[in-house]
Amino acid sequence: MNKGILVVISAPSGCGKDTIVNEIVKEMGDEASVSVSMTTREMRTGEEEGVNYYYVSVDQFKKNIENGEMLEYTRYGSNYYGTPVGPVKEKLREGKTVFLIIEVEGGENVKKIFPDCVKIFVIPPSMEVLSNRLRGRGTDNEEAIATRLEIARTELQRAVEYDYIVENDVLQDAVEDVKAIIKAEKLRINIMQTKLREVIKDA
Ligand code: 5GP
């Protein structure tokens, strides 16, 4: 079997990266998987252990780093976030497409360890649309929205480090764009080597 593809997705808060990935995983079924990160932040209302994150103490998080259990990790705000390495490697071995929905620092570190990963940055159509979306969610006050927009500006500066940019204006278009990227990535020579060898063997 050909090996799987590791897809890093980053975007400022409010750009719909989770929605895009969830739609794709729904369509791809068993072929795809989203990595569940570990975090030291508090669980938010509506979130579930093992679904949105694995929620751990700072001590536990640091122990996991020491034990080499994290593929990457970062401090974002006052909390730690990281990707447990075991499940990612296992799913890639099974030939699956594995999504990491992580911030830019983590994206940079993953590329060092998995140079073949594909990095996609999701952008909003404009800063105005982004600020309207953040207001529309109704979860933040004006001050928190201003902070998120400031962080978004900084994160957007680093979008140039990514392999692809997907604009999320109409959700279904963004989903189709990411699917097209995955389709093309699956045809890359490093992924198709096994198949090529099979064909050459019988030539
Ligand atoms: P939130 O607290 O809103 O769930 O996430 C805050 C930020 O941390 C988001 O940009 C999210 O993508 C990022 N993040 C979530 N999990 C990870 C992870 O495992 N590693 C890294 N580097 N960032 C993560």
Side-chain angles (χ1 to χ4, degrees):
M1 190 198 286
N2 286 317
K3 57 182 176 171
I5 293 172
L6 187 59
V7 184
V8 171
I9 306 246
S10 304
S13 168
C15 287
K17 56 187 185 294
D18 295 86
T19 316
I20 293 171
V21 173
N22 288 338
E23 282 298 308
I24 294 174
V25 171
K26 244 195 268 164
E27 287 183 34
M28 290 178 74
D30 239 16
E31 277 175 54
S33 169
V34 188
S35 160
V36 179
S37 293
M38 198 164 274
T39 185
T40 60
R41 84 150 160 73
E42 293 285 310
M43 191 189 283
R44 291 185 194 135
T45 319
E47 291 186 342
E48 270 180 66
E49 165 73 23
V51 175
N52 302 89
Y53 286 103
Y54 296 107
Y55 302 86
V56 297
S57 64
V58 174
D59 276 355
Q60 184 60 53
F61 198 96
K62 288 186 173 164
K63 252 183 224 143
N64 291 346
I65 297 169
E66 280 165 26
N67 294 338
E69 288 170 22
M70 308 308 282
L71 168 59
E72 60 75 35
Y73 66 92
T74 196
R75 222 188 135 118
Y76 187 89
S78 51
N79 296 300
Y80 286 99
Y81 294 82
T83 307
V85 70
V88 172
K89 285 195 170 163
E90 189 186 316
K91 305 237 165 70
L92 288 176
R93 258 198 310 272
E94 290 169 2
K96 293 190 177 170
T97 298
V98 181
F99 291 96
L100 305 185
I101 311 175
I102 61 179
E103 50 67 67
V104 287
E105 211 59 55
E108 185 181 351
N109 292 332
V110 171
K111 191 80 176 177
K112 287 181 196 150
I113 301 162
F114 285 95
D116 287 347
C117 76
V118 52
K119 290 176 71 186
I120 304 174
F121 198 95
V122 180
I123 58 167
S126 66
M127 288 306 282
E128 194 188 348
V129 170
L130 181 61
S131 69
N132 289 341
R133 280 185 193 161
L134 289 174
R135 271 189 201 97
R137 296 208 297 206
T139 47
D140 294 316
N141 59 29
E142 278 303 314
E143 195 189 333
I145 289 170
T147 308
R148 281 192 195 274
L149 288 174
E150 202 42 53
I151 296 170
R153 273 184 208 102
T154 317
E155 287 173 330
L156 281 163
Q157 301 291 330
R158 296 193 59 182
V160 288
E161 297 168 24
Y162 282 65
D163 300 308
Y164 296 95
I165 302 289
V166 167
E167 179 185 338
N168 187 12
D169 184 2
V170 177
L171 173 66
Q172 201 50 41
D173 291 346
V175 168
E176 292 304 321
D177 285 348
V178 175
K179 277 164 62 184
I181 294 167
I182 293 168
K183 191 168 179 187
E185 287 294 318
K186 282 186 175 173
L187 299 175
R188 269 191 191 276
I189 186 61
N190 57 336
I191 301 291
M192 290 297 283
Q193 260 170 21
T194 316
K195 177 71 196 167
L196 180 65
R197 264 192 237 113
E198 269 173 38
V199 175
I200 290 174
K201 186 164 62 76
D202 295 334

